[in-house]
Amino acid sequence: MSEAPNSNDVEKALRRRSRAVAVLAVVLMSLQGAVLAATEHVTLNGGRLVDKVQVGAFVFLALALMLNVLTGGRRSRKYPAMNDELVRANRARALKLGYVVTMLALIGVYVAMLLVPLDVYKYIPLLVTFGIVVPALYFSVLERKGEKGG
Amino acid sequence: MAEAALRNRLKEARSELGLTQAELAVRVSVSRKTINTVENGVFVPSTTLALRLAAALGRKVEDLFQLTE
């Protein structure tokens, strides 16, 4: 018979996940400048290797962060309490905010595109970042709430 | 019609059994934080979790959770 998971281990894993999500979100944001510059140079058949690596790193990190927020990460398979209904409610709230922010950003780019000439594709990394970083950070904040108490 | 607030007696019921939040959390397979937020009224549990909490504490759901005007 498998032993019930230790509550302290679950607590530690929850705190670690919350920190990891916040750190990944900050790293993703910090890549913005480099990625926006690299996006201009990367083409299907050309471009510098360093630019391709930066774009690749951004895409990988964005997907990793999105999956972590959506699924709760690998550790939650070991500890089902890491994906309990409070976590699912926090995730739903975070994703709702992410949806609103992404739509507002898209509407903003669309309106701006009508007023001034814009190379819209250059702003896609920024929009991706909005859509992933905002819910990730909000999820991390929500997860840190309610940690006190006996 | 104004939405009624949910009051709970989870903390009292848990204390009467001498359980910590962590011990109750393990019994119902949630995190201690979830128990804490339910006790503080920050998080309203689903019917399923409310039933599991009641079973773990040997109470009826309506003994643990009541609607207030």
Side-chain angles (χ1 to χ4, degrees), chain A residues 50-97:
Chain A
V50 66
D51 292 329
K52 289 179 178 174
V53 169
Q54 280 176 338
V55 170
F58 171 78
V59 171
F60 176 79
L61 202 58
L63 288 173
L65 184 56
M66 189 180 77
L67 277 177
N68 200 314
V69 172
L70 283 176
T71 66
R74 272 186 309 160
R75 302 275 292 175
S76 60
R77 265 181 264 159
K78 185 177 178 186
Y79 303 123
M82 286 181 73
N83 247 343
D84 66 8
E85 62 183 64
L86 176 64
V87 173
R88 293 198 298 271
N90 286 342
R91 182 180 293 136
R93 285 175 68 186
L95 292 178
K96 185 177 167 186
L97 179 70

Side-chain angles (χ1 to χ4, degrees), chain A:
Chain A
M1 198 175 96
S2 66
E3 199 176 324
N6 184 320
S7 183
N8 281 336
D9 292 342
V10 175
E11 293 289 313
K12 280 182 198 164
L14 279 169
R15 276 198 291 272
R16 203 176 299 136
R17 179 176 67 189
S18 174
R19 274 199 303 269
V21 165
V23 168
L24 278 176
V26 171
V27 170
L28 194 66
M29 273 195 298
S30 70
L31 286 176
Q32 280 313 291
V35 169
L36 286 176
T39 304
E40 290 188 40
H41 305 298
V42 173
T43 59
L44 194 59
N45 300 315
R48 297 184 308 164
L49 182 63
V50 66
D51 292 329
K52 289 179 178 174
V53 169
Q54 280 176 338
V55 170
F58 171 78
V59 171
F60 176 79
L61 202 58
L63 288 173
L65 184 56
M66 189 180 77
L67 277 177
N68 200 314
V69 172
L70 283 176
T71 66
R74 272 186 309 160
R75 302 275 292 175
S76 60
R77 265 181 264 159
K78 185 177 178 186
Y79 303 123
M82 286 181 73
N83 247 343
D84 66 8
E85 62 183 64
L86 176 64
V87 173
R88 293 198 298 271
N90 286 342
R91 182 180 293 136
R93 285 175 68 186
L95 292 178
K96 185 177 167 186
L97 179 70
Y99 169 76
V100 171
V101 168
T102 307
M103 286 302 117
L104 288 176
L106 281 169
I107 290 167
V109 168
Y110 176 65
V111 171
M113 193 181 74
L114 297 175
L115 301 174
V116 290
L118 279 182
D119 287 334
V120 176
Y121 80 96
K122 288 181 188 170
Y123 295 91
I124 290 176
L126 200 61
L127 296 169
V128 169
T129 302
F130 264 118
I132 294 176
V133 166
V134 170
L137 286 177
Y138 190 47
F139 178 67
S140 181
V141 168
L142 291 172
E143 283 291 281
R144 280 162 190 263
K145 283 187 181 175
E147 283 181 358
K148 292 178 186 169

Side-chain angles (χ1 to χ4, degrees), chain B residues 47-68:
Chain B
T47 311
T48 310
L49 179 55
L51 286 165
R52 274 172 25 214
L53 286 167
L57 295 169
R59 300 289 186 95
K60 290 179 182 173
V61 176
E62 54 266 39
D63 292 338
L64 293 181
F65 299 96
Q66 296 98 29
L67 290 174
T68 59

